[in-house]
Amino acid sequence: MNTQTGSAPQLGDAIQLPGGAVLKNRMVKSAMSDSLGDGTGNPTAAQTRLYERWAQGGLALSLIGEVQSDPRYPEKPGNLMLWEHSDLDSLRELTARASVNGAHIWPQLGHGGALSHSPIYQPKGPSALHIGDFRCDGMTLAEIQQLPETYARSATLAKEVGFTGVQIHAGHGFLLSQFLSPLFNRREDEYGGSVARRARIVTEIIAAVREAVGPAFPVGIKINTSDLLEGGLTRQDALETISLLDKTTLDLIELSGGTYFPGAKSSSDSAAKGPYYVEFAAQAREITAIPLMVTGGFKSRQDATDALAGGNTDLIGVARATILNPSLASDWLAGKGDPEFPRFETNPPGGITAWYTLLLTALANDEEAGFELDLPTALRVYEERDALKTARWKDAFWLV
């Protein structure tokens, strides 16, 4: 819903979600793995400061991800946990400071599935797979049927500690994305086969979360438009999934794509210059009335305003641009310029992700002015930090 009816939305327009919650403008910080948790699933002072800075910078909503419900299957050992042993006081401090200036803060509830951080525990997805050096176990039917309660429990805790909504992560190759993808989901029971069967656990989780948090608490989802993998989720599959999601009580659908499956192409490798999923959003708009958010490739204010003017997306998801400028929302709303994206002479696998993640750390410590790491050094520091937090995570959660 546009507060300025009869015209295309502008970046500064508020939007009311179906359950009644209002986002003050159209700019959202999409979830990124900041790896700033303490290694036992709890926030740190630096992580809290990071989300406070984004709220102060004018964003309507920041998504913090991935946030785990099951300590056996994290995406990264620096992620948060929402479960019965969470440090509630530190979570309340995070949400209080991340919601200043009228901002929303939502956790992106996820499960690594087959792409769980393997040094912690044996990954487990919808089906047992062995593809090259990649392997994972398959979930039992009982384990799948437990997922809605697990997600609902985390969503309830999120609401209790002051998060203003939740997002269910069903994109980028993690567990729920794996269920939607025929490449990963080879089950022959009620959770595999047709698009509707592959989406069944997703809709069951949405229903359980909604029942747990009530009608007014925002519940969103992030899904892939395509896996960019042969035999994976296709655009047609994704559209059929959206038609199923349209029958749920979701408040927001975020459109993204790609997977972190080893060797997979990134979305930026497969897309033309500019935002990646605006064309897909036009097709999705025809089959759902749920507000849409497009994430991927927004590097300029003009890209964002053009996407909104086209009428096919309601919100603009930005990620790395908000690392380069944590006040990006305020600047774009004021008509100011765009961030300058760095160019790298070398690109070791994982290097760019490591560089941006460590720049996040500098932001969180108010030290970005002195940040000068090259990619190889950033990658080494990033991997060393992950190794330390992996050991801490396994010790905290009794995983051997």
Side-chain angles (χ1 to χ4, degrees), residues 1-247:
M1 300 175 217
N2 182 4
T3 57
Q4 296 182 355
T5 56
S7 61
Q10 304 295 311
L11 278 174
D13 289 344
I15 180 171
Q16 183 176 357
L17 301 179
V22 175
L23 302 180
K24 66 179 183 178
N25 61 53
R26 302 305 174 106
M27 292 196 62
V28 177
K29 197 281 300 175
S30 192
M32 294 177 283
S33 184
D34 59 59
S35 294
L36 284 171
D38 67 359
T40 70
N42 293 310
T44 59
Q47 191 173 38
T48 297
R49 172 58 179 150
L50 176 64
Y51 284 86
E52 180 181 49
R53 289 194 67 180
W54 277 323
Q56 291 170 335
L59 289 160
L61 163 65
S62 283
L63 292 152
I64 181 168
E66 190 178 271
V67 177
Q68 317 298 159
S69 302
D70 188 328
R72 295 171 296 174
Y73 306 109
E75 175 258 348
K76 281 288 185 180
N79 290 355
L80 297 183
M81 280 282 302
L82 282 172
W83 72 321
E84 57 266 32
H85 300 297
S86 293
D87 182 341
L88 302 186
D89 288 340
S90 65
L91 286 168
R92 290 190 177 103
E93 175 74 7
L94 168 65
T95 60
R97 291 173 59 184
S99 58
V100 298
N101 198 25
H104 278 250
I105 178 71
W106 299 1
Q108 182 190 65
L109 303 180
H111 181 306
L115 295 184
S116 300
H117 192 60
S118 58
I120 286 177
Y121 199 72
Q122 174 62 36
K124 186 177 286 191
S127 305
L129 293 177
H130 185 186
I131 304 173
D133 293 332
F134 176 86
R135 64 177 65 224
C136 73
D137 294 337
M139 299 179 74
T140 66
L141 182 60
E143 287 172 326
I144 295 170
Q145 292 172 336
Q146 181 64 33
L147 288 170
E149 180 182 343
T150 301
Y151 276 77
R153 187 167 59 244
S154 289
T156 300
L157 182 58
K159 184 178 181 181
E160 177 185 337
V161 299
F163 285 102
T164 60
V166 295
Q167 182 188 66
I168 297 164
H169 195 4
H172 293 175
F174 299 110
L175 182 67
L176 299 185
S177 177
Q178 293 157 25
F179 269 97
L180 295 174
S181 172
L183 178 62
F184 290 95
N185 185 349
R186 303 178 183 183
R187 301 185 68 90
E188 297 180 353
D189 59 13
E190 61 264 43
Y191 292 101
S194 67
V195 171
R197 285 176 179 264
R198 300 199 309 267
R200 177 173 177 169
I201 189 58
V202 177
T203 56
E204 288 177 348
I205 287 170
I206 293 168
V209 168
R210 174 58 71 202
E211 183 177 0
V213 299
F217 192 73
V219 178
I221 195 167
K222 184 172 193 170
I223 66 166
N224 274 4
T225 58
S226 169
D227 287 346
L228 303 179
L229 289 170
E230 184 177 351
L233 184 85
T234 66
R235 289 168 64 96
Q236 185 56 43
D237 287 347
L239 289 169
E240 289 184 43
T241 301
I242 289 170
S243 71
L244 297 169
L245 296 178
D246 185 59
K247 300 177 177 64

Side-chain angles (χ1 to χ4, degrees), residues 36 53 357-371:
L36 284 171
R53 289 194 67 180
T357 304
L358 291 177
L359 179 53
L360 274 179
T361 304
L363 282 179
N365 291 294
D366 294 288
E367 295 175 347
E368 67 272 20
F371 183 80

